[in-house]
Amino acid sequence: MAKSPINSLFAESDTAAEADASVPKAVLPPWKVLIVDDDKEVHELTKLILHPFRFEGRKIDFLSAFSGRESLALLQQHEDIALVLLDVVMETDHAGLDVARQIRETLDNQLIRIILRTGQPGQAPEEQVVIDYDINDYKDKSDLTASKLKTMTIAALRGYRDLHRLASNRQSLMKVADASTALFHLHSLHSFALDILLKLSSLWPLGAKPLATERATTVIPASAIQTSGWVANECNGQFRIVAGVGQYAPLQTQALDEIIPEQTMLNVQQVNQSRQPLFLPEYSLLFISASSRKHSFIIYLENCPVVDEWERQLIQLLCTNISTAYDNVGLLSSLEKLNQSLESKVQQRTAELEKAKVAAEAATHAKSLFLANISHEIRTPLNAILGFAQLSLRTPNIPKAQSDMLHAIEKAGNHLLEVINEVLELSKIEAGGMEIDASDFYLSQLVDDIVSMFSLRCEQKGLLWQLDSNIQASKVVRGDAAKLRQVLINLLGNAVKFTEHGSVQLRVTQKTEHRFLFEVSDTGPGISPQEQAAIFDAFYQANTDRHTTGTGLGLSISRRQIELMGGRLELQSQLGQGSRFFFQIVLPDASQEALPRSPPDRRIMGLKAGTRLSALVVDDVKENRIMLSSLLHDLGIEVRSAENGLEALSCLRQHRDDIVFMDIRMPVMNGDEAVAQIRREFQHEPIICVAISAYSMAHEVEYYLSAGFDRYIPKPFQFETIYQTLQELCGVEFEYEAIDSPDEVPGKDKTELDFSHVVLPETLYTALMEAAELNRMTHIRQLLDEVEAVKAGGVELSAHLYGLLVNYDTQGIVETLQRVAHGDAH
């Protein structure tokens, strides 16, 4: 570049350097000024003029670069350069302009001041340079006097100072804000003091720019802190260290006056008394107040100076935030202790509940196991007892004395079976094994059947029977008709049983399109409030003056059945005025019209002529094998028997029977193991397997069917169940008892028979009616001997009822009895 004369570079000027009025409070580093010019004489002359110059008591430290490339290297090494005096034309005509652009864009330095000096202004027009480049001044070297250079330098340094102060204050504010935010993430009162000390120590120097990864919320290890400091609080008039860093780290709990100078101790007492911080060149003392004076504390930080009022205000703001956070930590600590106490109690209660739950589950399991075992132990011999009784009663012309004994045996066995079934029914409900057996039925027909049962019983006791129903005769609904019938029979049976005077009422109301209300009311003795609370409990029986029999399970089972159908059985009762049981259930419309009931079949005598069928009876109890084998043989079936599953497999290998009746629990090989082997070994042969077991819990029945059995029959069984199984699974047809009398022709109107001249004893009549209403076929058969003994028509009535009985026509029995007179003998 062209050289300008040295004597024209800086013209003489009488302007004195601007004196800074501020008094430095501490020795500060010099201002760094970078001279960038390819003329060495420009460097020397600039240093000569500005060397004695001071701004705010700070001298100038010069750096020199003779090219743009060299200046950029120095700028990267020295981030605190305040001013660059930059030539334009050096290694290239625009080298200085390139440096100016890289300072602002590449180095991202917005604080440094840039003054362009050029001896060839034509190469870089001033107006265009000022528009295109972020510079602070542009001077022609020929016009630049010493006075102008000093004035220009003062203005540049003042601008740098203000910008640097703003940036420093911004960094300080960010540090304090971050530290304040982090305070409210502390939850431990025990570690609060040390956490605060570490965070405060990491703030200095306040105005320094933090590292890119440094945040106040970062966990800072005590070993990384260069500052020494402590936190102390007053207890009983003596200050003790709570936490420390640096040289004070190992001095926790030590008395403060034993380790610090006397003057420092006096300053601590002053700060504690005034509740105001103290900032000294050697250290700072901060007072942290709390809601309780005894919990306040003092923080000591060495070599952490506060250089101006701005930093003083920031530190005081931070101390206020620390005080608030300290109170919050105290509250959180109290809450944590309370939560721990509550959690401990909850855990204790949970453990107790879990223990109680395990005990309850164990008790339930034990109860189920007990019921299953006791059921098996009772049903197994009962199966033989009832089976042989039924088998013996099939014998024609049996002597009356023997018949009476067999009827007594059958009656006692059936009563015992009813008790077992009710207990298992309740157990099945509790285990969730009972399910809805939905079907389409005429609701009005079900109500009419109920009416026919209980209107006559009320008439016998001299009670007024009332029916209030708005159900249309054509109303077909879908639901579990059997359970609904059982519940209504149970409720009405109790009402009639316990009511001596007044009335019994059944009310059926259609509340909405699909919701129905059923109510059973009586004018009996009523139920006390104490008994109402327990009336639905299992085995509970109300206290009455009248001796009653039963298991006390009826209402409990009824309530569970109604709940299963989506309703709730409820009670309203008052002593001396009667009781009202009621429930609502949803019965949606049926998808199609319900089928009418098919007429009952006549008594089965044996297989239809020409039918061949073979059966294998497998049971380890000899009596059960003989009983079932005798029944099947009596029907004309070829029968063989085995004592266990292994023996049954051997029999089947020798001869393929059509159907196998298999017990479950047997020695050598159980029934479920045997049927699994049968399905594997004879998988291509249609051998029908029927489980006959005294185990009848819901989950066991499901298991038997999944194990390979085609059907499950519980012990003790009625012969009708065997007939139905043979008919449905084997497809056999039966021959029936011959019709001896025209009045027993199926379909003939039974009203043509006249038994009005027959008078049955009241007790016999009531027993017959109850047995017919509850479909107790065996009990009816037992009572027919007493009917036959009635003079003037008893024999004919007994024969007619027997014909209805063998056809399972209990409704016909009820209708016949309604036409028979009854009363006490005179």
Side-chain angles (χ1 to χ4, degrees):
M1 60 174 287
K3 305 296 182 181
S4 299
I6 296 297
N7 57 2
S8 66
L9 182 59
F10 295 106
E12 291 295 329
S13 174
D14 295 332
T15 304
E18 178 181 337
D20 189 89
S22 62
V23 179
K25 296 182 181 180
V27 178
L28 298 175
W31 304 102
K32 287 186 179 180
V33 175
L34 174 61
I35 303 172
V36 185
D37 201 299
D38 58 353
D39 190 340
K40 185 176 181 181
E41 292 184 0
V42 173
H43 286 261
E44 294 175 353
L45 187 56
T46 301
K47 293 177 182 179
L48 180 64
I49 295 173
L50 296 178
H51 178 72
F53 175 76
R54 297 286 187 276
F55 174 65
E56 292 186 346
R58 299 165 64 182
K59 67 177 184 177
I60 296 178
D61 192 1
F62 295 99
L63 300 172
S64 293
F66 296 93
S67 67
R69 186 179 302 104
E70 187 179 347
S71 69
L72 290 174
L74 288 173
L75 285 166
Q76 290 177 341
Q77 296 173 15
H78 301 272
E79 294 184 354
D80 55 346
I81 294 175
L83 172 63
V84 177
L85 297 173
L86 183 60
D87 190 13
V88 175
V89 181
M90 291 180 287
E91 64 263 40
T92 64
D93 291 345
H94 50 79
L97 298 178
D98 292 340
V99 171
R101 187 182 298 279
Q102 290 195 53
I103 288 174
R104 299 302 190 211
E105 296 179 0
T106 305
L107 300 180
D108 192 24
N109 192 332
Q110 308 301 323
L111 299 181
I112 194 170
R113 303 294 85 193
I114 302 175
I115 297 177
L116 288 180
R117 298 186 303 177
T118 181
Q120 302 178 38
Q123 293 292 104
E126 179 178 357
E127 181 179 357
Q128 189 65 38
V129 169
V130 171
I131 292 174
D132 293 342
Y133 297 90
D134 182 7
I135 62 174
N136 302 106
D137 207 345
Y138 185 95
K139 295 297 181 181
D140 187 343
K141 291 180 179 179
S142 61
D143 297 334
L144 194 59
T145 65
S147 177
K148 287 183 179 181
L149 178 61
K150 292 178 181 180
T151 303
M152 182 176 62
T153 301
I154 289 172
L157 293 178
R158 181 177 288 119
Y160 175 80
R161 177 202 65 189
D162 292 342
L163 289 174
H164 186 272
R165 182 175 295 169
L166 287 174
S168 178
N169 290 345
R170 176 177 174 272
Q171 295 298 334
S172 301
L173 185 59
M174 288 178 61
K175 285 186 175 183
V176 170
D178 284 345
S180 298
T181 301
L183 295 176
F184 296 93
H185 294 285
L186 301 174
H187 297 290
S188 171
L189 191 60
H190 176 73
S191 61
F192 181 82
L194 180 60
D195 289 336
I196 293 301
L197 190 59
L198 292 174
K199 291 186 182 302
L200 285 173
S201 300
S202 67
L203 293 180
W204 267 266
L206 285 172
K209 184 177 181 180
L211 297 175
T213 58
E214 181 185 338
R215 298 292 296 174
T217 54
T218 304
V219 177
I220 305 170
S223 59
I225 302 298
Q226 303 300 319
T227 302
S228 292
W230 45 256
V231 176
N233 66 346
E234 186 181 14
C235 181
N236 297 325
Q238 187 178 39
F239 285 92
R240 290 187 177 276
I241 292 181
V242 176
V245 294
Q247 62 176 319
Y248 300 103
L251 303 179
Q252 185 174 335
T253 72
Q254 192 162 344
L256 195 59
D257 55 6
E258 297 177 358
I259 58 175
I260 65 174
E262 180 179 357
Q263 183 58 47
T264 304
M265 190 67 208
L266 291 175
N267 289 337
V268 168
Q269 294 172 347
Q270 174 189 339
V271 169
N272 186 58
Q273 189 67 27
S274 65
R275 302 171 68 88
Q276 295 295 325
L278 177 63
F279 301 103
L280 299 175
E282 300 84 6
Y283 58 83
S284 297
L285 289 171
L286 309 178
F287 181 83
I288 307 300
S289 63
S291 55
S292 173
R293 178 63 187 261
K294 67 179 181 179
H295 292 148
S296 300
F297 56 90
I298 293 176
I299 299 176
Y300 169 89
L301 296 171
E302 281 185 1
N303 300 320
C304 294
V306 177
V307 299
D308 55 29
E309 184 61 27
W310 167 252
E311 291 186 356
R312 181 189 301 267
Q313 292 176 5
L314 287 178
I315 294 300
Q316 288 179 326
L317 175 61
L318 180 58
C319 289
T320 301
N321 290 339
I322 293 174
S323 300
T324 303
Y326 184 56
D327 284 338
N328 287 342
V329 170
L331 291 174
L332 285 172
S333 178
S334 299
L335 288 174
E336 285 179 354
K337 291 180 180 178
L338 180 60
N339 286 336
Q340 289 174 357
S341 176
L342 290 175
E343 287 177 2
S344 177
K345 291 181 179 179
V346 169
Q347 290 175 356
Q348 181 180 355
R349 295 289 177 83
T350 302
E352 292 174 355
L353 290 174
E354 186 65 26
K355 186 176 180 181
K357 178 184 176 183
V358 171
E361 290 176 348
T364 301
H365 177 72
K367 182 182 72 173
S368 299
L369 185 61
F370 170 77
L371 289 175
N373 288 329
I374 199 65
S375 171
H376 179 270
E377 295 304 316
I378 295 176
R379 286 173 179 271
T380 298
L382 191 58
N383 183 61
I385 294 170
L386 291 177
F388 279 117
Q390 294 177 81
L391 191 62
S392 299
L393 287 171
R394 287 175 56 88
T395 304
N397 303 320
I398 186 172
K400 187 176 186 308
Q402 185 178 348
S403 175
D404 290 343
M405 286 188 291
L406 291 172
H407 280 307
I409 294 172
E410 188 180 27
K411 179 178 180 180
N414 281 326
H415 177 71
L416 180 58
L417 182 59
E418 286 178 9
V419 174
I420 296 172
N421 287 339
E422 284 189 335
V423 172
L424 291 180
E425 182 87 353
L426 182 63
S427 178
K428 185 187 297 183
I429 295 174
E430 290 178 345
M434 177 171 285
E435 298 178 351
I436 292 293
D437 185 14
S439 62
D440 298 338
F441 64 95
Y442 288 100
L443 183 57
S444 60
Q445 187 179 55
L446 184 146
V447 173
D448 290 341
D449 291 346
I450 298 295
V451 170
S452 66
M453 294 181 190
F454 289 96
S455 59
L456 185 59
R457 293 180 61 180
C458 287
E459 180 183 346
Q460 295 169 358
K461 289 193 66 172
L463 302 176
L464 175 63
W465 166 260
Q466 295 177 321
L467 173 66
D468 183 3
S469 174
N470 65 350
I471 307 302
Q472 298 178 355
S474 60
K475 184 67 174 176
V476 183
V477 297
R478 185 166 185 80
D480 196 327
K483 290 185 178 62
L484 179 58
R485 180 192 299 270
Q486 183 179 349
V487 170
L488 292 176
I489 289 175
N490 187 30
L491 296 178
L492 287 167
N494 286 341
V496 174
K497 179 190 298 184
F498 292 105
T499 303
E500 298 297 332
H501 307 284
S503 63
V504 172
Q505 182 186 59
L506 171 63
R507 178 181 289 113
V508 184
T509 309
Q510 185 171 356
K511 305 295 290 185
T512 63
E513 184 179 2
H514 298 135
R515 183 171 290 277
F516 297 84
L517 171 65
F518 297 84
E519 303 171 84
V520 174
S521 305
D522 62 63
T523 57
I527 303 171
S528 67
Q530 294 79 7
E531 290 187 318
Q532 289 183 36
I535 196 70
F536 293 105
D537 292 345
F539 304 104
Y540 182 83
Q541 292 181 326
N543 294 320
T544 63
D545 295 334
R546 180 181 175 185
H547 176 70
T548 59
T549 60
T551 61
L553 292 173
L555 287 177
S556 178
I557 293 175
S558 295
R559 166 169 275 192
R560 306 294 181 88
Q561 288 177 324
I562 293 301
E563 290 175 350
L564 192 63
M565 289 186 279
R568 178 172 177 79
L569 180 58
E570 299 182 78
L571 165 65
Q572 291 178 348
S573 184
Q574 188 171 351
L575 282 175
Q577 297 187 17
S579 303
R580 171 177 170 261
F581 290 87
F582 59 97
F583 60 89
Q584 291 190 46
I585 58 174
V586 173
L587 297 172
D589 292 337
S591 57
Q592 58 185 357
E593 185 174 338
L595 297 175
R597 286 181 290 190
S598 58
D601 295 328
R602 290 167 291 155
R603 181 184 179 189
I604 294 175
M605 301 304 294
L607 295 181
K608 192 172 183 179
T611 303
R612 294 183 59 84
L613 192 69
S614 62
L616 176 62
V617 177
V618 188
D619 200 309
D620 63 316
V621 178
K622 180 180 179 181
E623 292 77 9
N624 287 336
R625 291 200 310 272
I626 294 175
M627 180 270 297
L628 182 53
S629 297
S630 298
L631 170 63
L632 297 174
H633 185 270
D634 191 34
L635 293 174
I637 298 174
E638 180 185 345
V639 183
R640 294 182 305 137
S641 63
E643 295 185 11
N644 55 65
L646 188 61
E647 189 176 328
L649 287 170
S650 177
C651 291
L652 287 175
R653 292 183 185 116
Q654 298 174 15
H655 183 273
R656 305 290 191 274
D657 291 297
D658 300 305
I659 185 169
V660 179
F661 293 96
M662 180 89 70
D663 188 22
I664 297 298
R665 179 182 287 184
M666 295 179 293
V668 184
M669 179 182 287
N670 282 329
D672 53 343
E673 298 174 304
V675 77
Q677 181 62 33
I678 289 173
R679 295 310 180 201
R680 288 193 296 269
E681 190 171 338
F682 306 101
Q683 56 182 316
H684 300 299
E685 300 184 38
I687 299 176
I688 299 169
C689 296
V690 178
I692 299 185
S693 174
Y695 288 100
S696 58
M697 305 299 285
H699 64 282
E700 293 168 339
V701 175
E702 294 176 0
Y703 166 72
Y704 299 148
L705 296 177
S706 65
F709 285 104
D710 297 289
R711 180 162 296 187
Y712 170 82
I713 298 176
K715 293 179 180 178
F717 53 82
Q718 296 292 330
F719 287 180
E720 289 78 8
T721 306
I722 301 297
Y723 302 153
Q724 184 180 6
T725 300
L726 293 171
Q727 192 172 33
E728 294 178 359
L729 298 185
C730 300
V732 300
E733 297 183 17
F734 296 106
E735 291 185 353
Y736 299 89
E737 185 179 31
I739 300 175
D740 299 327
S741 167
D743 62 308
E744 295 182 6
V745 177
K748 182 177 180 180
D749 188 359
K750 300 174 182 60
T751 59
E752 297 177 5
L753 300 176
D754 183 14
F755 296 109
S756 59
H757 59 286
V758 180
V759 180
L760 295 177
E762 186 68 32
T763 55
L764 176 58
Y765 184 88
T766 301
L768 276 169
M769 187 62 73
E770 287 183 352
E773 291 171 349
L774 298 176
N775 294 304
R776 295 178 177 174
M777 313 298 288
T778 303
H779 189 43
I780 296 173
R781 184 182 292 112
Q782 297 168 357
L783 296 173
L784 290 183
D785 287 340
E786 298 182 38
V787 175
E788 187 175 349
V790 174
K791 298 179 181 179
V795 175
E796 293 79 4
L797 177 60
S798 176
H800 176 69
L801 293 178
Y802 182 76
L804 297 173
L805 176 66
V806 297
N807 292 317
Y808 313 110
D809 188 3
T810 55
Q811 182 63 30
I813 295 174
V814 170
E815 293 173 358
T816 300
L817 290 174
Q818 289 174 345
R819 304 193 303 273
V820 176
H822 53 91
D824 296 331
H826 296 287

